[in-house]
Amino acid sequence: EAVKAPTIIPAMSSRNPPVAFKHADLPGRGRALVATRAIRPGEEVLRESAAAMVTNSDSNSEDCHKMLAHILHAGASERYREPIADLVSLVQHFRAADPEMLTQLAASATPAVALYVAAWYGSECAAQWVSEEAVVDAFCKHALNSMMVTTPENSSHAEGMALYPLHGALMNHAHMPNCWTMFEKEEGSASTSDNATFKLVVRCLAPIAAGEEITISYLDPGQPRAELLQKLHDQYFIAQDADVGAMPHLGNPDELRRIGAKALYSCEEGEDTDHDDDAGSILPRVARVLARAMQDAEWDTVLTCCEDSLCLWKVIHRYPFHPKVGIWMMTAGLACLKSGKDMETARAHLDKAVKILGITHGKFHHVTNSAKETLALVSQLTGKT
């Protein structure tokens, strides 16, 4: 069966706001995006279409080979040739971390990548673009610069991986980022298969002054502190003492232990409570219970989990606006509504959710609209507007 080449939409959206950033080289940070004017929470900083993307399948190696073929194709185009060539690759860091890995990759992946390129773009392109050196370079750039694409409906499930070399890949990590990334399916993009592509949308979470760096978090901060730092080192070669902003403090140990000691959040095999003064160590347990309670419609438990999550999150991310906070607020309001208890508390949670999601997702995003509709129902039941 012929392999179908993906449709990549290169043009950026006409809905882009006025450009609020520029590219810069910062001491100790490398290439970066820097604000050219003050940016307020809730502003859309940029939109960018993917230069290369692959949707997840049952084969990680096949997905990787396809993605490398896409990157080589994009790197040969006039639009993306220079941006992709300028992406950081840190090939020597990869070789130092695992001397055999890149050698094995070059030997095993190069023939597979060549087959995809030949099938999609012709044998002449395969001969021009594909070599062991080019495949290794594309792999390293993919590992360091591509983003995991998720949707607001299921943020724990990855739709695939995408590369945004014009601007998105230049954003550096910070422990307390001032922006976050979301993804919207391209208009006309197929709902399934390799033709599905997603646009990167970057939104501001905290005030950014002119001249300040625009930053995101490369990993979900809601995980144990030590694991987060280790993953940043292993995946991105970010040293634990790197200049990536202050790591949030561990919080009030007594309050954190109070939540962590609840029987509701009992540890599973392999987990321990040695770090229950670390909010990131408790949050995964709370999230697990919350998911089960949502599935079983145990609304009192859902409300407890949401309120404890909000308490823990204040320690990890002290900015008042964050998508997780908005979702927990909306879910807490829904739990109050479903249980038929305390409509005033439901209304308070939903009112905050609408305001926060309006900042993080946009006033007219369907997630924000869901919170608005639930708030309207509660307001109708309480006779308040």
Side-chain angles (χ1 to χ4, degrees), residues 245-283:
M247 190 73 175
H249 60 76
L250 296 179
N252 183 324
D254 292 337
E255 177 66 10
L256 297 178
R257 290 193 186 98
R258 179 190 68 78
I259 297 175
K262 289 184 178 182
L264 183 64
Y265 309 130
S266 59
C267 295
E268 293 187 346
E269 185 177 354
E271 293 180 328
D272 61 63
T273 59
D274 290 345
H275 302 288
D276 269 2
D277 57 353
D278 174 3
S281 294
I282 308 171
L283 261 174

Side-chain angles (χ1 to χ4, degrees), residues 14-91:
S14 60
R15 294 188 295 163
N16 281 351
V19 175
F21 61 88
K22 64 180 180 180
H23 296 184
D25 288 304
L26 301 181
R29 299 284 282 169
R31 299 175 72 215
L33 293 188
V34 173
T36 55
R37 60 168 176 81
I39 306 175
R40 296 173 299 176
E43 279 197 63
E44 186 179 290
V45 178
L46 68 89
R47 284 175 174 257
E48 183 177 345
S49 293
M53 178 170 175
V54 63
T55 51
N56 283 346
S57 72
D58 295 330
S59 172
N60 290 334
S61 61
E62 184 177 321
D63 291 345
C64 181
H65 297 158
K66 289 180 179 179
M67 186 64 178
L68 299 185
H70 299 339
I71 292 173
L72 292 176
H73 169 245
S77 69
E78 182 178 354
R79 178 177 179 81
Y80 292 116
R81 184 179 296 113
E82 186 174 344
I84 289 180
D86 289 341
L87 290 178
V88 63
S89 61
L90 301 181
V91 174

